[in-house]
Amino acid sequence: MDTKRHWDEIYGTNAASDVSWFQPEARLSLEVIQEAVPARGSAILDVGGGASTLVDGLLGAGYTALTVLDLSSAALAQARERVRVLGERVTWLEADILSARLPAAEVDLWHDRAVFHFLTTQGERHRYIEQVRRAVRPGGHLLIATFAEDGPTRCSGLEVARYSPQALHAEFGAGFRLVRGYREDHLTPRGAHQAFTYCLCRWEPHAAVPPAT
């Protein structure tokens, strides 16, 4: 399957407010981000941010070093049109997160709501995690959200993986300290309920290396 074409078709035929994962306000993500990285100059990368309203909230809160990455140019276009002139303060990056060339150790907080659960093979997840390890600075944070164990098994015609906070944290392994897990009951635009799992982790690479004896 041509993944980029798939998501461009989704966003090319639907308004951002019509897709099931749409949030009028990304309240939980915004609250956790402000607690984890209160400095407004913190470098925040929103992976799969596309047409999400998180960028609106972050701009409104005064953050100045924002990057929104998405595979779909159509999704990014919707967000850029919505935030208008404020979008000049955002780096918009059309790329596949599994192969994107990201600067090393420059991200203070990596945010992903609803990308990781589409990675249903171990190889895809390994490539994703290697990107996180490379891009997030030591001491930086990872905030990731997927469908919970009792969430949907498919989304937008694709199979997804579902996680508890413990299982999601375990995917990332040594070096990622679990700060806190969250659960969100998301109400879709059509009135359905979807359970999400959120994990906030701190990247501590030295903790992954056993001390010398």
Side-chain angles (χ1 to χ4, degrees), residues 16-163:
S17 57
D18 291 335
V19 297
S20 65
W21 53 92
F22 174 74
Q23 296 174 299
E25 181 183 4
R27 187 174 303 166
L28 180 55
S29 291
L30 187 58
E31 290 177 356
V32 176
I33 289 170
Q34 290 184 95
E35 291 177 4
V37 286
R40 272 24 188 186
S42 299
I44 298 172
L45 173 64
D46 188 13
V47 173
S52 166
T53 59
L54 177 60
V55 68
D56 307 56
L58 291 170
L59 286 167
Y63 285 92
T64 59
L66 305 177
T67 299
V68 178
L69 181 151
D70 203 280
L71 186 62
S72 170
S73 58
L76 292 170
Q78 288 193 28
R80 296 182 74 165
E81 173 64 22
R82 190 182 62 241
V83 299
R84 295 185 180 275
V85 68
L86 291 178
E88 295 175 3
R89 294 159 47 188
V90 179
T91 298
W92 305 95
L93 184 58
E94 181 186 339
D96 182 342
I97 190 55
L98 300 184
S99 58
R101 294 188 176 183
L102 303 173
E106 289 191 5
V107 174
D108 292 304
L109 187 138
W110 175 299
H111 176 268
D112 166 7
R113 179 179 180 271
V115 172
F116 191 75
H117 64 205
F118 284 108
L119 307 181
T120 56
T121 71
Q122 190 60 49
E124 290 173 328
R125 292 192 290 270
H126 176 77
R127 288 162 62 193
Y128 181 103
I129 293 164
E130 285 303 305
Q131 290 280 62
V132 177
R133 289 172 175 266
R134 181 176 183 276
V136 177
R137 66 168 182 80
H141 289 82
L142 165 70
L143 176 58
I144 187 163
T146 68
F147 284 135
E149 292 175 298
D150 55 338
T153 59
R154 296 180 66 84
C155 180
S156 297
L158 303 176
E159 292 185 1
V160 297
R162 301 181 296 174
Y163 297 92

